[in-house]
Amino acid sequence: MVSAPSGAGKTTLVRGLLERDPRFVFSVSYTTRTIRPNERDGHDYHFVTPNRFRELERQGAFLEHAEVFDNSYATGRDAVEHELERGKHVIVEIDWQGAQQVRKKMPSCRSIFIVPPSVAALRERLTQRRTDSVDVIERRLRDSLDDLSHWSEFDYIVVNDNLETALEELAGLASGRFRRNRVGTQRVARIMGDILDS
């Protein structure tokens, strides 16, 4: 599973991973948020109403679920189990709350947390999206900093300071080819300390 705060570059890295290696498949999450102009239902997310989401939750259809930015998100259990049975590496893109739930249900999964190199880089990435108002960007930044405080809960950390390098590291960690981060623990701790002290 791959997690990251908003603006860390998770979606770009996951898309790059899926394009370069057919062994990986993407778990399409469910969400109650509004579809964006560049998104497709069933491809980017399964867009459902809050009532339908609650119904699926009651049926036990989710491997995990969480509330993020006033919307509900979840991972469908059946789809993940089906792809694992086919021998695929399933990329579950979730937040730290969902990652905690998945770890309890699937303790053998690899958890990877993608982080930005600095608060300045995070702010710039959130601004460059041009999909949110200034108030929403500031809220996302605050929430992202809270998300980053959970970095030590994950098996691996990928610092997204260079897209190609981060993509190579993500591919190696997700496939099991790499067992250690390219960045030492001290560097990760220093970067995270600088970000969280900002």
Side-chain angles (χ1 to χ4, degrees):
M1 67 186 150
V2 179
S3 299
S6 181
K10 172 183 62 179
T11 301
T12 300
L13 287 170
V14 167
R15 284 180 182 158
L17 178 59
L18 294 170
E19 288 170 4
R20 71 189 286 177
D21 193 334
R23 294 175 300 165
F24 290 95
V25 294
F26 180 68
S27 171
V28 179
S29 298
Y30 289 81
T31 184
T32 58
R33 79 158 169 76
T34 305
I35 190 169
R36 293 176 181 156
N38 61 333
E39 292 176 326
R40 288 181 291 149
D41 185 32
H43 180 264
D44 297 289
Y45 287 96
H46 297 292
F47 293 93
V48 296
T49 64
N51 285 341
R52 176 62 176 151
F53 190 95
R54 286 190 293 273
E55 181 184 335
L56 289 166
E57 184 182 346
R58 284 193 299 271
Q59 294 171 358
F62 298 145
L63 186 60
E64 60 79 31
H65 59 89
E67 295 291 318
V68 183
F69 301 122
D70 301 324
N71 293 297
S72 300
Y73 292 83
T75 301
R77 179 189 301 272
D78 289 348
V80 170
E81 291 176 350
H82 173 71
E83 294 296 349
L84 290 173
E85 287 169 4
R86 293 178 57 220
K88 295 288 188 177
H89 295 299
V90 182
I91 299 295
V92 177
E93 193 177 318
I94 52 178
D95 75 330
W96 65 267
Q97 300 171 75
Q100 289 179 340
Q101 295 174 54
V102 173
R103 269 194 294 272
K104 289 177 184 174
K105 295 174 183 173
M106 303 178 78
S108 63
C109 72
R110 288 185 194 93
S111 62
I112 302 167
F113 196 56
I114 298 168
V115 302
S118 66
V119 172
L122 182 62
R123 182 184 296 277
E124 182 180 348
R125 291 172 187 175
L126 289 170
T127 303
Q128 285 178 343
R129 288 179 173 182
R130 291 180 169 76
T131 57
D132 298 313
S133 67
V134 173
D135 289 343
V136 171
I137 289 170
E138 288 304 314
R139 179 181 170 193
R140 284 187 181 275
L141 183 61
R142 286 192 305 272
D143 288 346
S144 291
L145 292 173
D146 181 60
D147 292 347
L148 283 162
S149 69
H150 295 273
W151 70 275
S152 62
E153 299 174 15
F154 291 80
D155 298 325
Y156 303 104
I157 305 297
V158 173
V159 179
N160 186 12
D161 50 358
N162 175 280
L163 184 61
E164 284 306 314
T165 305
L167 181 55
E168 178 61 28
E169 185 178 3
L170 177 61
L173 292 170
S175 67
R177 186 165 40 95
F178 296 167
R179 293 292 179 186
R180 298 180 63 190
N181 282 333
R182 67 174 169 85
V183 292
T185 303
Q186 288 182 343
R187 179 170 180 235
V188 171
R190 179 177 53 78
I191 289 170
M192 297 311 301
D194 289 347
I195 288 173
L196 296 174
D197 289 342
S198 297

